[in-house]
Amino acid sequence: MNTQYRPHVHPIWGILVAVLVTLLSASSAWAQTIRGLLVEEGSETPVGGVFVVMLSEAGLEVDRVLTDDRGRFSVIARGPGSYSLRTERIGYASTETPLIELDVAAVHELRLEVPVEAIELIGVRVEAERRCVVRPEEGVETARIWGEAEKALSATRWTGEQRLFVFETESYEQVRSPQTLVVLSEASEKVWRTVAKPFITPPAEQLVELGFVRTTAEDSTYYYAPDAEVMLSDAFLDAHCFRVRLGDDQETGLVGLAFEPVPGSHMTDVKGVLWLDEETAALRFLEYSYTGLDVDFSTEHFGGRLEFEQLPTGAWIIRNWWIRGPIVRRGGVGHLQTERLAAVKQVGGRVISLRPAIGFRN
């Protein structure tokens, strides 16, 4: 006797499966793609490692990808409409296409050219903007420097979001002398991660509203760092002003975009400098210190540093980072409590090696 077995399917599951199939079909039908080739202006030489950004008609970022080693790219829209493409290449002028109309299930083929003349920041005029301007794009020279820093920060954020690599990192925690910063004790750990920067930073809106240094009900104090996400946010840009700064002996060959809280701010905040290479316009590092700390001792050693690096693929990572804060000893009786700086705590990390993750998209 032949018996056929048919699994019992509850009616509700049949409905859900039908809905799922419908949604998947609709998703495929509504997928709009622009595929293209990026070449140097006036030639057929492909350019790899350049970000191609799809923008909506309102100027909002829809998708972002890196061109591969043959200059190829593919960006996907969320629905039919008008879109433009912007190229972001560190050290070169950005380009943007006119609006492109995409229909249902459209695949648009495109050839883009990028300038071959590099941008140099040598000769940036400090005198032109001695005042501190809110939003760096509002000043002539600050806009010039911010334009290049913004490319690297956006690329760093994107690289982390896409999880393109698996990183071997070494994280550490040190106790240092409050006078000389000599390391008194240290503990470290090596681990593989999908994100190169292991420290956690709250949303920029919270940092601006509540401060970069927080003390909990359990009397623990947290010192937060301004990462790429924070630096790019409207909340941070509106709460800080910027000015041009030239490197001294320790920053030879660099030009800086200094930032500080707008006048009248009463929260714990940060001030610092984004340092860029004068010749290549590449972002090298961000250094910062804390402001508005209500303590009874010097705060000159408290702050941090993030070092950026562009990989051969064009992606950007934070190669090294550290944050310093105080270890405090309290004493006294009743209302006569005093605070003493007992030591400086430094936590940080570095990327030792990396390998591509499986299944990432160019």
Side-chain angles (χ1 to χ4, degrees):
M1 180 177 64
N2 295 326
T3 303
Q4 291 185 338
Y5 172 71
R6 295 193 179 188
H8 174 71
V9 178
H10 193 279
I12 187 63
W13 289 111
I15 295 172
L16 290 176
V17 170
V19 171
L20 177 59
V21 170
T22 302
L23 289 176
L24 290 175
S25 300
S27 176
S28 300
W30 286 84
Q32 290 76 34
T33 302
I34 298 180
R35 289 200 301 254
L37 177 67
L38 194 68
V39 298
E40 288 187 346
E41 191 174 31
S43 78
E44 295 297 324
T45 304
V47 186
V50 176
F51 277 97
V52 177
V53 185
M54 174 181 274
L55 302 171
S56 69
E57 192 170 6
L60 301 177
E61 183 171 319
V62 175
D63 196 11
R64 170 188 291 262
V65 294
L66 274 171
T67 58
D68 64 15
D69 56 356
R70 297 183 182 181
R72 300 172 302 185
F73 66 90
S74 177
V75 287
I76 302 173
R78 298 189 181 99
S82 300
Y83 300 91
S84 61
L85 297 184
R86 183 178 67 223
T87 63
E88 294 182 355
R89 187 183 184 189
I90 305 296
Y92 294 82
S94 297
T95 63
E96 187 169 331
T97 69
L99 289 173
I100 302 167
E101 289 292 332
L102 294 182
D103 297 325
V104 175
V107 177
H108 196 96
E109 301 287 344
L110 195 64
R111 179 180 178 275
L112 296 180
E113 293 187 350
V114 290
V116 295
E117 185 175 352
I119 293 174
E120 290 186 352
L121 299 180
I122 297 174
V124 167
R125 296 175 299 152
V126 178
E127 294 79 7
E129 284 162 358
R130 290 188 179 277
R131 66 189 181 93
C132 199
V133 295
V134 178
R135 288 206 169 253
E137 64 268 24
E138 293 184 2
V140 176
E141 298 291 12
T142 55
R144 185 178 169 191
I145 300 173
W146 173 247
E148 297 307 305
E150 184 180 24
K151 293 177 188 177
L153 292 170
S154 297
T156 303
R157 178 178 62 182
W158 180 85
T159 303
E161 291 173 347
Q162 298 298 311
R163 299 180 183 270
L164 301 181
F165 305 97
V166 180
F167 301 92
E168 182 186 13
T169 65
E170 181 180 37
S171 57
Y172 65 85
E173 185 174 307
Q174 299 172 339
V175 176
R176 292 173 172 251
S177 163
Q179 289 81 29
T180 64
L181 293 183
V182 170
V183 177
L184 304 177
S185 64
E186 180 177 13
S188 62
E189 177 188 26
K190 292 183 180 179
V191 64
W192 285 92
R193 304 176 184 271
T194 56
V195 179
K197 181 181 66 65
F199 64 81
I200 299 175
T201 298
E205 293 77 12
Q206 291 185 20
L207 293 172
V208 170
E209 180 181 356
L210 303 176
F212 279 78
V213 179
R214 315 259 190 89
T215 301
T216 66
E218 294 77 22
D219 209 25
S220 296
T221 302
Y222 292 89
Y223 289 74
Y224 294 111
D227 61 4
E229 183 79 24
V230 170
M231 294 294 298
L232 290 167
S233 68
D234 288 335
F236 186 88
L237 295 175
D238 289 338
H240 294 78
C241 58
F242 298 77
R243 60 163 56 92
V244 178
R245 178 173 162 184
L246 296 183
D248 53 22
D249 294 339
Q250 294 182 347
E251 292 88 21
T252 302
L254 302 179
V255 60
L257 186 62
F259 58 89
E260 62 188 59
V262 295
S265 174
H266 302 293
M267 303 300 300
T268 54
D269 212 313
V270 289
K271 66 177 182 179
V273 186
L274 289 159
W275 289 106
L276 288 76
D277 190 291
E278 282 186 323
E279 294 186 358
T280 67
L283 178 61
R284 293 304 181 206
F285 62 93
L286 159 65
E287 61 181 4
Y288 69 93
S289 59
Y290 295 101
T291 66
L293 296 177
D294 185 17
V295 294
D296 299 327
F297 43 79
S298 173
T299 61
E300 62 176 325
H301 296 317
F302 309 143
R305 178 179 172 117
L306 288 73
E307 298 178 3
F308 297 83
E309 180 179 324
Q310 186 175 25
L311 303 176
T313 62
W316 280 76
I317 64 170
I318 296 174
R319 175 67 72 170
N320 297 285
W321 66 274
W322 53 260
I323 304 173
R324 287 180 187 152
I327 297 177
V328 177
R329 294 288 182 267
R330 292 180 175 85
V333 179
H335 296 291
L336 300 177
Q337 293 283 331
T338 60
E339 292 183 338
R340 177 178 64 86
L341 179 62
V344 173
K345 182 177 181 178
Q346 178 170 319
V347 295
R350 65 188 182 95
V351 175
I352 302 173
S353 64
L354 57 88
R355 63 171 184 256
I358 298 174
F360 70 87
R361 173 173 69 99
N362 274 98

